[in-house]
């Protein structure tokens, strides 16, 4: 339409009008920005949203993308320029919460751990909780005894590759998977032994459910630990859990205040 107007009435469509149209387009671009959210399976969801959009709008977009109905357990987390982690507040503008310049990068994470994750109604919810706890195990947040760690890792192995097959799984096959920040060869062998002998025939869904049932019994389930020191100067962790407030030393709970 504009090109026709320019040919027909060039004197009317002067430089000021062109400048006004161009500046309006720039202003529209300024009111939008790109946002990437890393999901729990390490894929990414990228969208363009208005500068005044609130956190709830972005969260609803992600839940629609995942077909996630049981939303209340999840939140969006971001890291500020000082490397501090924050939960995105859904009632406030996203751009006002972020201290960096767009495009923004955030993560979908479990914010509230269900007391009994295996009993969740929706399969997608259980799967996302499974991915979060698997992540907690890998990053050293889900602390546990060696025997429990071996069982949890074996469930992950069964869920991801199915039954042990000597033709497909040569010696040391479990070493290709990273279940923990670090582990010994002895633990690796124990994981493989459980997978080979105790989990034959379990479907991925059953293994994931068994993993959840095992994890929820651990004292560090649902813990987001914050480092501190006790009165003697010994390192410890403070954490909120689905069941109460805890103080941890190593992988042991030394204090527990129930909600």
């Amino acid at each position: 339409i504009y090109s026709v107007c320019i040919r027909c009435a060039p004197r009317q469509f002067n430089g000021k009008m062109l400048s006004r149209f161009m500046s309006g387009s720039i202003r529209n671009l300024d009111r939008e920005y790109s946002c990437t959210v890393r999901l729990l399976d390490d894929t990414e969801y990228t969208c363009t949203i208005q500068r005044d959009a609130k956190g709830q709008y972005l969260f609803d977009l992600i839940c629609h993308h995942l077909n996630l109905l049981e939303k209340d357990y999840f939140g969006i987390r971001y890291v500020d320029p000082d490397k501090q982690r924050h939960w995105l507040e859904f009632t406030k503008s996203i751009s006002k919460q972020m201290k960096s310049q767009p495009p923004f990068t955030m993560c979908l994470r479990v914010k509230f751990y269900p007391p009994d994750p295996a009993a969740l109604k929706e399969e997608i919810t259980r799967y996302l909780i499974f991915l979060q706890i698997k992540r907690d195990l890998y990053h050293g947040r889900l602390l546990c005894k060696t025997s429990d760690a071996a069982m949890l890792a074996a469930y992950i192995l069964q869920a991801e590759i199915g039954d042990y097959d000597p033709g497909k799984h040569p010696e040391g096959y479990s070493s290709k998977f990273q279940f923990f920040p670090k582990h010994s060869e002895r633990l690796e062998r124990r994981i493989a032994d459980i997978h080979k002998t105790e989990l034959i025939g379990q479907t991925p869904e059953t293994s994931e459910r068994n993993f959840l049932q095992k994890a929820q019994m651990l004292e560090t389930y649902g813990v987001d630990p914050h480092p501190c020191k006790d009165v003697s100067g010994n390192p410890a962790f403070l954490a909120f859990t689905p069941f109460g407030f805890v103080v941890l030393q190593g992988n042991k709970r030394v204090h527990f205040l129930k909600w």
Side-chain angles (χ1 to χ4, degrees):
I1 295 173
Y2 297 151
S3 62
V4 172
C5 294
I6 290 173
R7 288 197 299 268
C8 295
R11 294 180 182 178
Q12 295 178 12
F13 198 85
N14 55 31
K16 287 185 178 180
M17 292 181 67
L18 182 60
S19 175
R20 191 174 71 205
F21 279 112
M22 291 178 65
S23 63
S25 299
I26 293 172
R27 284 197 297 271
N28 288 336
L29 290 174
D30 286 344
R31 288 199 295 267
E32 296 181 341
Y33 56 86
S34 177
C35 183
T36 297
V37 180
R38 292 175 181 149
L39 307 179
L40 282 158
D41 63 355
D42 292 325
T43 61
E44 294 184 345
Y45 175 78
T46 300
C47 60
T48 300
I49 56 181
Q50 297 294 316
R51 183 166 291 277
D52 59 354
K54 294 183 178 180
Q56 186 68 53
Y57 177 76
L58 176 61
F59 183 63
D60 288 343
L61 282 179
I62 297 167
C63 291
H64 178 73
H65 171 71
L66 294 171
N67 196 25
L68 177 62
L69 300 179
E70 296 172 301
K71 304 177 182 180
D72 294 344
Y73 301 108
F74 303 90
I76 298 175
R77 177 169 266 171
Y78 65 94
V79 179
D80 67 22
D82 297 324
K83 306 301 182 183
Q84 296 297 314
R85 296 183 300 167
H86 304 271
W87 289 106
L88 187 71
E89 295 189 47
F90 291 168
T91 59
K92 295 182 179 180
S93 166
I94 297 171
S95 60
K96 291 182 178 179
Q97 296 181 64
M98 307 296 286
K99 296 180 181 180
S100 58
Q101 294 298 315
F104 299 135
T105 300
M106 305 177 218
C107 300
L108 178 72
R109 295 291 181 262
V110 174
K111 188 174 183 180
F112 303 107
Y113 288 73
D116 186 2
L120 291 167
K121 294 180 179 180
E122 296 284 331
E123 183 179 345
I124 180 62
T125 314
R126 290 196 303 272
Y127 180 63
L128 292 175
I129 299 289
F130 165 77
L131 291 177
Q132 177 67 67
I133 301 174
K134 177 184 168 185
R135 184 180 296 272
D136 293 342
L137 190 67
Y138 173 73
H139 288 287
R141 290 188 291 267
L142 186 66
L143 303 171
C144 55
K145 298 184 296 184
T146 302
S147 57
D148 292 328
M151 196 75 224
L152 289 170
Y155 283 135
I156 295 173
L157 205 56
Q158 181 70 18
E160 295 196 358
I161 67 174
D163 290 344
Y164 169 71
D165 183 341
K168 297 180 180 178
H169 308 135
E171 187 70 24
Y173 68 100
S174 63
S175 63
K176 297 180 180 179
F177 297 83
Q178 290 187 310
F179 306 109
F180 318 102
K182 57 182 180 179
H183 61 272
S184 64
E185 291 184 7
R186 181 180 178 181
L187 177 56
E188 191 176 293
R189 289 194 297 270
R190 180 56 184 150
I191 294 167
D193 287 342
I194 296 172
H195 177 235
K196 292 176 182 179
T197 60
E198 299 182 32
L199 305 184
I200 296 295
Q202 282 194 17
T203 64
E205 293 79 9
T206 300
S207 295
E208 289 167 9
R209 190 182 293 270
N210 288 336
F211 175 90
L212 293 175
Q213 290 174 335
K214 182 72 175 177
Q216 76 182 54
M217 302 302 294
L218 301 175
E219 292 183 342
T220 52
Y221 166 71
V223 165
D224 187 9
H226 299 271
C228 64
K229 292 184 179 180
D230 63 15
V231 292
S232 302
N234 299 314
F237 292 95
L238 301 178
F240 297 98
T241 78
F243 311 103
F245 180 75
V246 299
V247 179
L248 302 164
Q249 285 187 321
N251 62 357
K252 294 184 179 180
R253 188 171 68 187
V254 294
H255 296 290
F256 175 55
L257 297 175
K258 191 174 182 180
W259 298 127

